[in-house]
Amino acid sequence: MMKSRVLWTLAAVFLAAANLAGQEGAAVNGYARTKAGALLEDASLFLSETTLDLRLSYRSGDAGFFANPVLYEREGQTEEPVLREAYMDFRGESFDLRLGKQQIIWGKGDGVFITDIVSPKDLSRFLVPDFEEIRGAVTGACLDLYLGSHALELVWLPAFTPGTAPAAGSLWAPALPFPVTPTFESVVSPGFSLDNGEYFARYSFLGESFDLALMGGWFWNDTPGYTVTDKTFVPGVGITALTVRPEYYRTAAAGYAASGAMGPVILKSEGAFYGLRRYQGNPMIYPDGYAEKYSLQYMAGADASAAGFTFGIQFIQDLILDHDPDLVDPELKTTMTFVATRTFLRDTLTAEVFTYMGLDPLNALVKPKVTWDATDALEFFLGAYLFLGDEGDFGRYDSNDGVYLGAKFSF
Amino acid sequence: MNAHANRVLILTATLFAAVALHAAEPSGTEIMQAVYDRPQGKDVQGTLTMTLVDSKGKERVRSLRQVTGTFASGEKKLMVFLGPADVRGTSFMNWSYEEAGRSDDQWIYLPALKRVKRISSEGRGDSFMGSDFTYDDLGDRHPSEDEHRVTGSESIAGEDCWIVESVPRDPKDLYSRTVTWVSKKTMVGVKREYYDHRGALLKTLTISKLESISGVWVILKTEMRNVQKNTSTRIEFSEVKVNSGIPEDEFTERAMTRGL
C-alpha cells in the first residue's frame, strides 16, 4: 500500500516537473545522491541511502511558487516522500511576503543555533548530516519589510512544528536524564489553534564594516520537557519505577547577532537570553521532575583566509541562571568549533574539517570531508565522523565513529 | 560630485597635463592613471560566461549575472551564479571604497544554507572560481601600488599601443612585474603579461573584443593563459547594459537572496 502511494507520488512529482520545465519562468533543479556508511568499530553498514531532491520553482511577475519534494530510500526501504518546503511568495516594492512551508534561518554562527530559533532541527542522526539537512521547515507567514540596508522580518506560525530527536534504540539515542528507565505517557503537543501560534521578529542591518541583527520570539520549545507523573520509591534502594509525560511548553528568547571586518579577520558574535525553560532534575527533589530556569547562550568567533585556506573558530557558552546542583545539566557548558577548508586542482577538489570540542569534560566530534568534482554535475565525496572522549555531548557516542562515501549528481 | 564625475575630471586633467608637460610622450604613471580613470559607466550589468580550459583541453563553463554600480561611497558589485547546477543561486557581493588602504566588504549567499555570510576580502591573490584569474586580476588596481615606466610602443591588431612596465612597490605582491600594452586610442590595456618572482612569464591576458556601449569602452571577450601550467580561461560578457540607472539599494542582502 505504502509502496503504491510512493510510486504515485513519484509519478505526480515527475509529471509536474516535466510540465513546469517547458514553461517560461519555471525551473526544475535538484540532485540525486547515494551514500553508504560503516561503523569503524565493527565495519557494520549503518547507512545506505539514496535521495532524490527536487527544487521546482515558477515565477510570474511579482508572484512565485517554490516546492522542494524529497524522496528517500534508506536501508532498502522506500520512505514516505517529504515535502521539505512548499511556499508561494509575493514581492512588493519594499516588502516580500512568503506563505507556506519554509525554512527560516537566522544567526551568524556556523554549526551553532543560538539565535536560529524559528526552524526546528532534525537531530535524528545527531550532528552528523550536513547542516542544510539538519534544518527543518515551519508552516506560516513571513513578511519582510525593507528600507535600504535595513530589514524587518515578522514571522507568524499558526502551527507548531517540533524538532526531531533520535529514535529510541537508534545509534544516536541520548542517555535519558532519569535514574531508571521510565515509562512514557503520550506526548502533549499544542493543539491546532490560533491561541497556540508562534511569533518571531528580527531587525537586521547589513552595512559598511559591520552587520547587525536583533531578534526575539515567543514560541514552543522544539524539544519537550518531561513531567514526572508517577514514581515508586523504595527506602534504601531509591526510585525503582518512574512514569513521565513529554510536554511541549512555551518559552521566549531575545538576542543579537553581529559580524564585522577587522583587517583580514571577520569577527562575529551572537547571543540570546532565553525565558523559562525546563531542565530535568532529581525526581526526589523536584516533584515534577524538572525546574524552570532562565538561561543565556552566547558565541564569539572569527573567520580568516590565509595561504589558500579558510579558517574559522568559535567559542560558545551555555549558562543556566540560578542553577541548582540537583539539575542534570551543568551550570556552564563550554564548546568550541574549528573549521578549515582548502580547495585544490582549480577548485575541483575540496578538503574540509569541522570540529566541535566540548571543554568540560574534554570531548570532540571531528568531521573531515573530501569532495571531488569529477564533472560540473557529478561529485564524489568521502568523509568521516570521529567522536573523541568517553563522556560529554560528543564523547558519549565514542563507539559510533564512522566513515561514509557517495556520489551526487546535480541538475 | 560623485566618484564617476571625479574620475572623468581627473582623466581629462591627466591627459591635458600629459600633453602640456610632455609634448612627446606621457610617462608610464600618467598612462596607467589615465587607464584607471577611464570612464567606466555609472552602472554596468550583463551575463558573464567563463570557460576554464585545463592542460588537456577539457572545458568547464561557469556563468553568472553581474551588476556593478559606482556611488559616492565607492563601487558595489553583485554576482549571481547561473551555472553549473551545484552553484546555481549562489551570490557574491563586494563593496570597494575610494579610500586608499581600506579593505573591501564582501558577503556570500549559499542557497543551501539560506544565509548571507560576511567573508574576508584578503584572499585577493586566490583564484577566482578555479580560473586563471585571481580576484586581484579582475579588479581595478590603483596605479599608486606600482612604479611604472614606458618601455616602447607597438601595434597590436592594428591598434597603436604604449608598452608600460609596472613593478609593485610591495615586494610580497603576487607578481614581480607586469607589462601592459595600452591602446593610445581607447586607453584600455589590450594585452598584459604577468611575471612570477623568478622573473619568468607566468600568464598572458589578451582582449579580443572591445566595444563602446553608451560611450563607455566595455571589454566583451578576454582570455587569460597560464603559460607555465598550459591552462587558460576565457571570459565573455554579453547582454551588456550601461548606465541603466541601477539604484544603490539594489546592492543589499535582499538582492543576494532573491537573485537578479
Side-chain angles (χ1 to χ4, degrees), chain A residues 90-297:
Chain A
F90 179 78
R91 295 173 179 173
E93 184 72 20
S94 56
F95 74 91
D96 292 335
L97 176 64
R98 204 159 55 200
L99 302 169
K101 189 173 184 182
Q102 54 195 295
Q103 287 185 331
I104 298 172
I105 309 300
W106 289 356
K108 304 284 184 195
D110 296 321
V112 295
F113 312 105
I114 296 169
T115 59
D116 189 14
I117 56 172
V118 184
S119 288
K121 315 294 173 289
D122 179 357
L123 298 175
S124 56
R125 284 184 285 158
F126 191 50
L127 294 166
V128 164
D130 291 338
F131 293 128
E132 63 181 276
E133 293 182 79
I134 286 175
R135 290 186 165 105
V138 287
T139 301
C142 179
L143 174 67
D144 287 284
L145 305 164
Y146 303 101
L147 183 64
S149 293
H150 304 266
L152 179 65
E153 185 162 271
L154 303 170
V155 180
W156 173 52
L157 308 179
F160 168 61
T161 307
T164 306
S170 78
L171 279 174
W172 310 106
L176 294 169
F178 307 108
V180 294
T181 302
T183 301
F184 288 96
E185 295 182 358
S186 301
V187 179
V188 178
S189 299
F192 192 69
S193 154
L194 286 179
D195 292 340
N196 289 331
E198 296 182 293
Y199 304 90
F200 303 89
R202 179 182 69 154
Y203 158 78
S204 62
F205 166 75
L206 183 147
E208 295 179 13
S209 302
F210 79 99
D211 309 329
L212 174 69
L214 302 172
M215 45 65 66
W218 187 52
F219 52 94
W220 294 90
N221 205 55
D222 285 345
T223 54
Y226 296 93
T227 304
V228 172
T229 56
D230 192 21
K231 58 178 174 274
T232 304
F233 177 75
V234 178
V237 178
I239 292 175
T240 56
L242 203 59
T243 303
V244 298
R245 184 176 62 228
E247 281 181 337
Y248 291 99
Y249 58 95
R250 272 207 184 273
T251 188
Y256 74 95
S259 64
M262 184 172 281
V265 178
I266 302 296
L267 300 176
K268 58 187 180 181
S269 177
E270 63 180 279
F273 173 79
Y274 289 87
L276 290 172
R277 291 200 292 184
R278 296 179 185 179
Y279 292 90
Q280 302 302 140
N282 184 341
M284 295 306 294
I285 306 292
Y286 305 104
D288 291 329
Y290 64 84
E292 290 189 314
K293 299 288 179 186
Y294 295 101
S295 62
L296 278 174
Q297 281 187 32

Side-chain angles (χ1 to χ4, degrees), chain A residues 306-310 340-345 347 349-353, chain B residues 126:
Chain A
F309 284 89
T310 302
T341 307
R342 176 82 157 93
T343 60
F344 304 89
L345 304 173
D347 283 2
L349 186 69
T350 304
E352 178 187 276
V353 59
Chain B
D126 295 344

Side-chain angles (χ1 to χ4, degrees), chain A residues 11 26 34 50-51 57 72 104 107 136 138 150 183 189 199 220 228 230 271 289 321 369 378 382-384 386 404:
Chain A
T34 185
T50 300
T51 308
S57 61
Y72 292 102
I104 298 172
V138 287
H150 304 266
T183 301
S189 299
Y199 304 90
W220 294 90
V228 172
D230 192 21
L321 302 176
K369 185 178 182 183
L378 180 65
L382 171 66
L386 308 169
Y404 63 92

